Amino acid sequence: MRKLLAYAGTALVIAAVLSWPMADPSPEGERRQGDYHEECQSEGCDTEELRELHASYASECLDEGCSPEEVIELAGHPDAVDAMRAAFQQHGWRIDPKHFPACRLELTETSCALLALLCKDHYLCLDGAQESAWYGCGFCVGIGSCAAGGGGTKGAR
C-alpha cells in the first residue's frame, strides 16, 4: 500500500511539473512573441501581431536560414503553417517557399510515464524526415509506449 501511495504521489508531482508554466527567459520589458496558431487562429490577431510574427520569421529564416521545424515552431502547429504562409503572402510580405515544404504526418509515437502521456510526431517532408519534440498530449496510467499511424498532410504545400 505504501508503494502505491508513493507511486501516486510521484505521478502527481510529475503531472504538476509538466503543467507548470515555464519562466520567460526574455529580458524584462521585452514582449514574448507567441505563435501563429495561438495568436491568430485561436485568438484572432490584428495586422500588428501578424507583422510581429513575420518579423520573427524574417529574422530567423530570411536573415539566418532556418529548418522546416523552426517554421512549424513559429506557426505553433504543423497544421497552421499553410495558413501562416498564406497570411504573409496576402499582406505582400516576403517569404521563401523553401521554408514551407510539403509534409505528411507518418506516425505519432506515444509514451506513458505514470500519468503523463507524451507524444512525438514524425513527418515525411520533401526535404526528408522531420520529427517534433516530445510534448504533453494527455494523461494515462502506467509506463509504456506505442505508435499510431498518421496520414493527414501537414505543413505547407
Side-chain angles (χ1 to χ4, degrees):
M1 184 66 171
R2 284 186 183 192
K3 281 187 177 182
L4 182 60
L5 289 174
Y7 287 134
T10 302
L12 289 174
V13 169
I14 290 171
V17 167
L18 289 175
S19 64
W20 196 267
M22 301 301 267
D24 186 0
S26 61
E28 191 137 307
E30 183 179 311
R31 183 170 172 231
R32 188 175 189 279
Q33 183 65 48
D35 58 57
Y36 182 83
H37 177 71
E38 175 189 348
E39 295 292 326
C40 298
Q41 291 181 315
S42 297
E43 300 171 3
C45 64
D46 59 21
T47 303
E48 183 59 33
E49 290 170 313
L50 189 59
R51 184 176 286 119
E52 290 173 8
L53 286 166
H54 183 266
S56 293
Y57 163 75
S59 172
E60 291 294 319
C61 297
L62 297 176
D63 296 344
E64 300 173 10
C66 67
S67 69
E69 187 175 66
E70 290 173 293
V71 174
I72 291 170
E73 184 179 313
L74 181 62
H77 190 278
D79 290 334
V81 172
D82 245 356
M84 182 177 74
R85 178 194 46 80
F88 290 169
Q89 288 179 317
Q90 184 179 29
H91 283 85
W93 298 332
R94 186 173 149 232
I95 65 157
D96 187 336
K98 74 179 179 190
H99 297 139
F100 298 90
C103 295
R104 184 178 76 237
L105 178 65
E106 288 292 307
L107 177 79
T108 297
E109 186 178 351
T110 62
S111 180
C112 184
L114 296 177
L115 294 178
L117 180 63
L118 304 173
C119 294
K120 182 195 295 190
D121 298 323
H122 297 266
Y123 303 94
L124 183 58
C125 301
L126 292 178
D127 62 346
Q130 301 284 330
E131 63 182 42
S132 70
W134 286 98
Y135 61 92
C137 55
F139 293 96
C140 61
V141 177
I143 298 175
S145 66
C146 63
T153 301
K154 303 293 179 180
R157 290 170 197 87

